[in-house]
Amino acid sequence: MLTFKALSHKLFGARRPHRLALATLPPRAFAFFHTFGLTVWIALVERSGWSLILPGLLLLLWPAIAYLHAAQAQDSKRAEFKNLLFDSLLFGVWCSVLDFYVLATLSIALACFMNNMVVAGPRRMLVSMALFAGGALGWSALTGFEIRPYVSTGLDIYQGAGAVAYFLAIAYVMYGQNRQLGRSMREIKFQNRVFHALLELGGVANSASNIHMLLDDSLKHLHADFPEYGFAVFLQERNRPEVTRYAAVAGLQLGAEDERRLGGLLAKLHDRQESVVKLREKSVGEQLYATSMAGRLSQYEGWLIVRAPKLDGRLERMLTLFVDQLAAATENKLLHLALKKTAERDGLTGLYNRGFFESALQLSVQGKGQTPSLDFAVLMVDVDGLKVVNDRYGHVAGDQLITTVAERLQVHCRASDILARYGGDEFVVLFPSADLTAANRLASLIRTHIEGQRCSITTADGKRLTLELRLSLGGASSTEVPAQEVLTLADERMYDDKTRRRKQRALS
C-alpha cells in the first residue's frame, strides 16, 4: 500500500512541495468535505435534490487540484498563497449558493480570513476579505440575494462542531510548525557551536608546539564549547595497539588506572566496523562512546571518547566532524614536527645541527641584552684525531667515531642543555640561563667518563678496531665577556686545550 508521501513522489518526482502546501492540505480537505456535507444536508432538508448536490461535488475536487498546483509550481510557496486566496473566492461563492446560511457563512469567512492572516499578514487578509465578498456578492447578483438564518438544530450542531474541529486542526498545524521552527532554531544554534568549535580546533592546531599540547588544548576547547559532554582522546601505536602513545582528557574523571583500562579496551576494538562504539553498558545515566579515527592517521590508531546521556544522530554527526578535524590536525602536526626535526637535526648523529644552535644562541644573546642578569654559557668539544681515522680507515669508521662521541655526550647532558653538532669533528653545548659553572660541570664529567675511554668501530672492509677517545674542550660564559663574544672565547679555549694536549703527547 502506497503512503501519501510515496504517491506524491511517484506523481511529482523528487521535487517536494513547500511545507506550507503540505501543512494546509489536511485542513483544506476537511473544510471542503465538511462544506459538501453541509450542502447535502441542506439539499435533503429543502428537497432540492441533485440540483444542489451535483455542483457541490466540485468542492471535493478542489483540495486535490490545489495540492497539484502547489506541487508542480516552480515556487510552491507562492502557489499555495494563491490557493488560499482562491479558497476565499470559492467559499464566498458557495456561501451565496447556500443563501448565506448564517452560522456557516460566519465560520467559513472567519476561517478564510484567519488562514491568510496567519501565513501572510493583514494585507493578505484584506485581499481575502475582498475576494470572499466579491465571490459572494457576484454570485448573488447573478442568482438573487437571499439569507438563510436557520435550517435546523441538527445542522447548527453539525456546522458548529465542524468549525470547532477545523479551528483546532489549524491550531494543531500552527503548533506543529512552531515546534518545527523551534527544532530548526536549536539545530542551527547547535550547528553554529559545532562550526565555532571546528574553527577553534584549527587555531589550536596552528599554535600547538607538540602533539600533547595539541590534544590537550583541543579537548579543552571542545569541552568549553560543549560543557554538557566530556571528552578524551587516545592515540595508540599502529603496530602495538596496546601501547598508548598520547592521551588527553577534558570534562571526564579518569585516573591513571582508568586511562590504562580504557586504553586496553580500545586496543581490542580496532577491527570493529561501527563508526561509534558504546564502551560501557549502563541502564541509566551517561554512557561513554568511542569514535575511531580509522585510517586517518599514518602512524597511530586514534579514538575520540565522549561522555553523553545518549547517542543520537546529531551527536554522531558532530563526533564525525570532530574526529575528522582532530585527525587532520594531528597528522599535519606530526608531519610538521617531522619536517622540523629534519630541518634542525644533524643527519648523522640526530643531534641539533649548527643552524638550530646558532638560532638558540642568538636568543640567549638577545635575552642577555634585555635582561643583563640572564647569563648563559657555551662548551665547545672537538674530537681529536678524526682526520687520521678518516684517512687511515675511511669515512665509515670516522662516522662511527662521531656517533659514539655524540651518544656519550647525550648521556651527560641535561634536558635543558642544547647539544649540537657544530662541524665535522666539533660539538657544542649551550647552557641557557647558566654561568660558567654549568660548562665546567659538564667538562668535568667528560674528562672523567668519556676522555680516554675506548670504543669499537668497524671499517668499510669489516675489520674491528678499538680507538681511544680524545676530546679537546673549551668553555665560556656571558659573565666573562660580552654576549656576542662568548662562542668565540669558548672556541679559542678549545683550541688552546687542543694545542696543550698535543704538546703533552709530543713530550710523552
Side-chain angles (χ1 to χ4, degrees):
M1 180 178 179
L2 286 175
T3 63
F4 176 77
K5 182 181 290 186
L7 179 60
S8 174
H9 185 83
K10 280 182 172 291
L11 290 173
F12 313 118
R15 185 190 303 164
R16 180 179 175 84
H18 189 270
R19 59 182 178 83
L20 181 62
L22 297 172
T24 55
L25 178 60
R28 175 183 284 121
F30 173 82
F32 278 89
F33 274 76
H34 178 80
T35 304
F36 176 72
L38 177 68
T39 302
V40 172
W41 193 314
I42 291 176
L44 293 176
V45 169
E46 294 190 343
R47 302 180 184 277
S48 56
W50 294 102
S51 61
L52 191 58
I53 295 176
L54 285 177
L57 292 174
L58 296 174
L59 298 174
L60 304 181
L61 297 177
W62 170 240
I65 294 173
Y67 182 76
L68 289 172
H69 174 237
Q72 294 181 333
Q74 287 292 97
D75 188 344
S76 62
K77 181 179 180 181
R78 183 180 294 274
E80 184 56 27
F81 282 166
K82 293 179 180 178
N83 290 339
L84 290 172
L85 291 177
F86 194 78
D87 287 348
S88 301
L89 178 64
L90 189 56
F91 272 128
V93 170
W94 206 254
C95 284
S96 178
V97 170
L98 298 180
D99 295 331
F100 298 104
Y101 170 42
V102 174
L103 185 58
T105 301
L106 291 176
S107 57
I108 290 173
L110 183 59
C112 291
F113 304 156
M114 184 189 70
N115 288 344
N116 284 273
M117 173 69 136
V118 166
V119 300
R123 182 176 298 181
R124 183 70 59 140
M125 185 191 69
L126 292 177
V127 176
S128 173
M129 288 180 174
L131 289 173
F132 185 89
L137 297 177
W139 189 262
S140 296
L142 294 175
T143 61
F145 184 83
E146 294 186 24
I147 295 180
R148 190 193 311 274
Y150 175 79
V151 176
S152 68
T153 302
L155 187 58
D156 285 350
I157 294 173
Y158 170 81
Q159 179 58 29
V164 170
Y166 180 81
F167 288 122
L168 289 177
I170 291 296
Y172 181 77
V173 169
M174 292 175 62
Y175 166 74
Q177 294 296 305
N178 286 336
R179 286 194 63 188
Q180 179 64 34
L181 181 61
R183 285 194 295 268
S184 298
M185 292 298 294
R186 288 192 296 272
E187 184 65 25
I188 290 173
K189 289 181 179 178
F190 188 82
Q191 290 175 0
N192 287 339
R193 291 168 67 193
V194 171
F195 181 69
H196 180 263
L198 291 174
L199 286 178
E200 286 188 332
L201 288 182
V204 167
N206 292 329
S207 61
S209 60
N210 54 59
I211 299 299
H212 288 292
M213 182 180 294
L214 169 64
L215 298 179
D216 284 336
D217 290 350
S218 295
L219 292 197
K220 287 176 183 176
H221 279 82
L222 285 182
H223 185 56
D225 288 324
F226 296 89
E228 65 270 32
Y229 301 127
F231 297 93
V233 66
F234 287 81
L235 298 187
Q236 298 171 325
E237 294 186 10
R238 185 176 298 279
N239 297 328
R240 296 186 300 166
E242 70 279 2
V243 178
T244 299
R245 184 66 180 273
Y246 301 102
V249 178
L252 282 176
Q253 297 297 325
L254 293 179
E257 180 61 24
D258 295 325
E259 289 190 18
R260 186 195 63 76
R261 189 182 303 111
L262 192 55
L265 176 60
L266 293 173
K268 302 175 183 178
L269 299 177
H270 286 170
D271 296 331
R272 295 281 291 270
Q273 299 299 316
E274 301 96 322
S275 59
V276 180
V277 179
K278 183 183 290 188
L279 294 182
R280 63 188 184 195
E281 294 288 343
K282 295 177 64 177
S283 57
V284 294
E286 296 178 324
Q287 310 284 348
L288 284 182
Y289 301 95
T291 305
S292 173
M293 295 182 186
R296 297 176 177 90
L297 299 176
S298 58
Q299 302 179 38
Y300 303 101
E301 294 290 348
W303 295 89
L304 177 63
I305 315 298
V306 64
R307 169 186 51 77
K310 64 177 182 178
L311 180 69
D312 53 22
R314 186 172 68 171
L315 177 59
E316 189 167 357
R317 290 191 298 272
M318 181 188 80
L319 290 178
T320 300
L321 289 173
F322 287 166
V323 160
D324 287 341
Q325 182 82 345
L326 196 57
T330 302
E331 186 68 5
N332 288 339
K333 183 60 64 176
L334 288 169
L335 178 60
H336 171 76
L337 293 174
L339 292 174
K340 183 180 178 183
K341 181 177 180 180
T342 301
E344 64 188 22
R345 295 283 178 170
D346 174 60
L348 177 62
T349 63
L351 302 180
Y352 289 116
N353 57 27
R354 180 169 182 163
F356 180 85
F357 169 78
E358 289 180 344
S359 297
L361 177 63
Q362 187 59 32
L363 290 177
S364 293
V365 171
Q366 292 175 357
K368 176 66 175 177
Q370 296 170 356
T371 309
S373 61
L374 189 62
D375 290 303
F376 66 93
V378 168
L379 178 67
M380 294 290 294
V381 181
D382 183 86
V383 181
D384 295 340
L386 176 64
K387 185 176 184 306
V388 175
V389 173
N390 284 333
D391 293 342
R392 184 176 300 176
Y393 304 112
H395 286 277
V396 172
D399 288 346
Q400 291 178 59
L401 177 60
I402 288 296
T403 55
T404 298
V405 173
E407 291 170 357
R408 298 192 183 187
L409 287 175
Q410 282 182 291
V411 171
H412 298 291
C413 286
R414 299 172 301 186
S416 59
D417 301 338
I418 297 175
L419 172 61
R421 186 184 180 195
Y422 195 67
D425 58 355
E426 290 182 336
F427 297 89
V428 63
V429 185
L430 174 65
F431 305 91
S433 304
D435 55 20
L436 193 58
T437 304
N440 290 337
R441 177 196 65 82
L442 181 57
S444 177
L445 290 173
I446 292 172
R447 294 297 186 205
T448 303
H449 298 286
I450 302 178
E451 174 71 20
Q453 299 296 312
R454 295 185 174 274
C455 68
S456 295
I457 61 175
T458 304
T459 63
D461 55 5
K463 292 181 180 180
R464 296 286 294 177
L465 299 174
T466 300
L467 299 177
E468 181 180 333
L469 298 179
R470 300 195 307 272
L471 305 175
S472 298
L473 309 175
S477 168
S478 58
T479 58
E480 304 175 276
V481 292
Q484 296 84 349
E485 301 175 14
V486 171
L487 182 62
T488 301
L489 179 59
D491 193 52
E492 291 174 354
R493 288 175 173 173
M494 183 266 291
Y495 277 105
D496 289 343
D497 184 53
K498 182 184 287 288
T499 301
R500 179 182 58 79
R501 289 158 56 83
R502 270 184 194 158
K503 290 180 179 179
Q504 288 178 348
R505 286 196 298 271
L507 293 174
S508 61

